[in-house]
Amino acid sequence: KTNPKITLTATDDNDPNHGFKQLEYQWNSKTGTWTTTANTTISFNPPGEGHNILYYRALDKADNYSIIGIKNIRYDSTDLEEGPQNVSVSPNPTSGSIATVSWDAASDAITIDKYEVIWQLDDTSIQYSKTVDSNTFETEIDQLTEGKWNIKVKAFDGVGNSKEGSTSLTVDRTAPDALTLVLESTGVGTANLSWNTVDDAEEYLIFYGTTSGDYIYGANVGNVTNYTVQELGAGNYYFIVRAKDASDNQSSNSNEVNTGTIAGVPGATPGGPGADFVPAGEVQGATNDSESESKTDDVVGKVMGVNETSSWVKSNLPWMLLILQAGLIILADHLNRRKRGFGKYLMTLLITILSIAIFNWSNSSLNSIMNWFMLVSVSLAILLKVFNYAFIEDQTN
């Protein structure tokens, strides 16, 4: 960071016919004009800030040159012209643990060497950082917990001069309070609803179904406290409402209100979606882990188009495959009980691999079973082989 002083010193023997004659040097080229001096030692500074290359050599009285020396010298005592510009973070606010920080390039008279991103939880010692190269202008930050985070992006030049830009991020995982829902009135194909306001609520979500506790349709109705559901078919409807904040945290369900049996508008499907309502899952959105734990009473609604039979098969598929595997291995051993050798072991291996492959291919939603299914399947194959050798192999008929 300070202007460096360069010193050249020549050495040679003291023979008057072959002794030192002069030192020579030049900057940033070895084909230009050399600066010369008869002194054996010379000191000087680089021609300016930035990256300069010094070429130097010595000459004796017999006109023998030394090899040309090369020294890279970087000198930068000037601050950056501009730090990172337009630092921002998205999403902000958020309920998640990961966000993306972006910025526009810093500027320097010489060069930008790197960027350092620092995020610190306000009024605590909790801080994280990461470094990216000078061509990167966006990066993820993680390990975010609830609270206000101060985010800095620092640009560095080659010698450590820096300038920074900053912003803040709010991590909010606290859901709004539950609402009190009122059914104001009903009409032909309509239900007039109202509810109280709560702190932090940015939008309100209405859900309904034709069975108490089972809400299969929903709509985001915006930042209002009353709404008329329209174009309903004839039927009996149950409604709840939720509040959602800017971080997408949703309150627990409000109380449930029931329309009783109402007449429907002509042509509307009984129990079907009203105007602007869609399947509940499309409105529910994603929730983080802490929200899921705190809202055990929330009902998302049924998945449309999946019947109970297919759900039963899917949930019990691992047990069915293990039973099938056991049966096939016993059958293979029985059919080959008089043919000891590699074929029987190969048959057991293939059946075990097939069971595991079918399970993985099925894409079962029971992800936790993945942790033990392969181990159980292989163990079952081994136990059945031991059983068969202990009991079946001794049979002669």
Side-chain angles (χ1 to χ4, degrees):
K1 291 186 178 182
T2 58
N3 195 353
K5 182 178 181 180
I6 299 99
T7 299
L8 297 178
T9 301
T11 57
D12 198 7
D13 61 58
N14 293 320
D15 187 328
N17 296 317
H18 300 89
F20 167 79
K21 181 178 181 180
Q22 65 186 32
L23 280 172
E24 302 180 0
Y25 70 90
Q26 60 177 304
W27 289 102
N28 302 317
S29 172
K30 56 182 178 181
T31 59
T33 301
W34 294 82
T35 300
T36 63
T37 177
N39 298 324
T40 57
T41 298
I42 184 174
S43 295
F44 51 92
N45 299 103
E49 293 183 65
H51 178 197
N52 292 287
I53 304 174
L54 174 66
Y55 297 93
Y56 56 94
R57 65 186 181 185
L59 179 66
D60 66 14
K61 292 180 179 179
D63 291 332
N64 296 307
Y65 277 103
S66 69
I67 61 172
I68 296 176
I70 302 174
K71 179 69 70 173
N72 285 275
I73 299 172
R74 295 175 175 85
Y75 160 46
D76 185 0
S77 64
T78 304
D79 268 345
L80 280 65
E81 296 173 350
E82 294 286 352
Q85 303 294 297
N86 302 317
V87 179
S88 63
V89 59
S90 178
N92 187 16
T94 182
S95 58
S97 59
I98 297 175
T100 299
V101 179
S102 58
W103 61 92
D104 293 336
S107 58
D108 184 61
I110 300 174
T111 183
I112 299 297
D113 183 62
K114 63 184 179 182
Y115 294 97
E116 182 180 22
V117 182
I118 303 167
W119 59 106
Q120 181 178 18
L121 185 59
D122 199 28
D123 296 327
T124 73
S125 60
I126 299 175
Q127 177 177 297
Y128 306 98
S129 66
K130 67 190 302 185
T131 300
V132 297
D133 62 44
S134 60
N135 296 315
T136 298
F137 307 106
E138 180 179 285
T139 190
E140 275 192 352
I141 59 175
D142 55 13
Q143 304 183 75
L144 299 172
T145 56
E146 190 163 21
K148 178 184 177 182
W149 289 81
N150 300 309
I151 300 171
K152 297 179 182 178
V153 181
K154 298 179 71 174
F156 291 85
D157 64 16
V159 298
N161 296 310
S162 67
K163 273 191 176 181
E164 67 184 42
S166 63
T167 188
S168 63
L169 166 67
T170 299
V171 179
D172 178 10
R173 293 180 181 154
T174 303
D177 293 335
L179 301 162
T180 299
L181 179 62
V182 175
L183 176 65
E184 299 288 354
S185 62
T186 61
V188 176
T190 64
N192 301 306
L193 306 171
S194 67
W195 53 88
N196 59 302
T197 60
V198 293
D199 292 339
D200 297 330
E202 296 282 333
E203 297 172 318
Y204 296 92
L205 313 176
I206 297 175
F207 297 92
Y208 75 85
T210 56
T211 303
S212 177
D214 186 9
Y215 313 115
I216 58 176
Y217 297 111
N220 185 329
V221 298
N223 192 1
V224 298
T225 56
N226 56 79
Y227 188 82
T228 299
V229 182
Q230 302 181 37
E231 298 184 19
L232 294 170
N236 189 4
Y237 296 92
Y238 297 84
F239 288 89
I240 59 98
V241 65
R242 295 179 192 164
K244 185 172 79 168
D245 65 18
S247 300
D248 289 335
N249 298 304
Q250 293 182 25
S251 70
S252 56
N253 292 344
S254 70
N255 59 296
E256 182 183 79
V257 297
N258 175 225
T259 62
T261 301
I262 63 172
V265 296
T269 302
D276 300 322
F277 277 76
V278 296
E282 298 179 23
V283 180
Q284 166 69 14
T287 58
N288 59 43
D289 292 340
S290 61
E291 288 180 276
S292 298
E293 294 171 1
S294 65
K295 294 191 285 185
T296 56
D297 61 334
D298 285 4
V299 179
V300 176
K302 292 182 179 178
V303 179
M304 305 303 290
V306 179
N307 60 45
E308 294 182 359
T309 300
S310 63
S311 297
W312 183 90
V313 171
K314 188 174 184 180
S315 62
N316 289 280
L317 180 62
W319 306 110
M320 297 167 62
L321 287 175
L322 289 175
I323 293 171
L324 178 62
Q325 176 191 1
L328 289 175
I329 290 174
I330 292 173
L331 177 63
D333 271 349
H334 179 72
L335 294 176
N336 294 278
R337 65 178 181 273
R338 298 184 181 180
K339 299 178 182 179
R340 299 176 180 270
F342 177 76
K344 296 182 69 174
Y345 292 102
L346 180 61
M347 182 68 71
T348 300
L349 178 62
L350 291 176
I351 292 172
T352 303
I353 292 174
L354 180 62
S355 299
I356 294 171
I358 292 174
F359 178 76
N360 289 328
W361 171 80
S362 70
N363 192 28
S364 172
S365 62
L366 304 178
N367 291 325
S368 61
I369 298 178
M370 286 293 290
N371 296 325
W372 59 260
F373 183 86
M374 293 186 185
L375 177 62
V376 171
S377 186
V378 174
S379 300
L380 177 61
I382 296 172
L383 289 174
L384 286 169
K385 292 297 293 182
V386 173
F387 175 84
N388 289 347
Y389 280 119
F391 297 97
I392 298 177
E393 294 295 340
D394 290 336
Q395 300 178 12
T396 58
N397 295 319

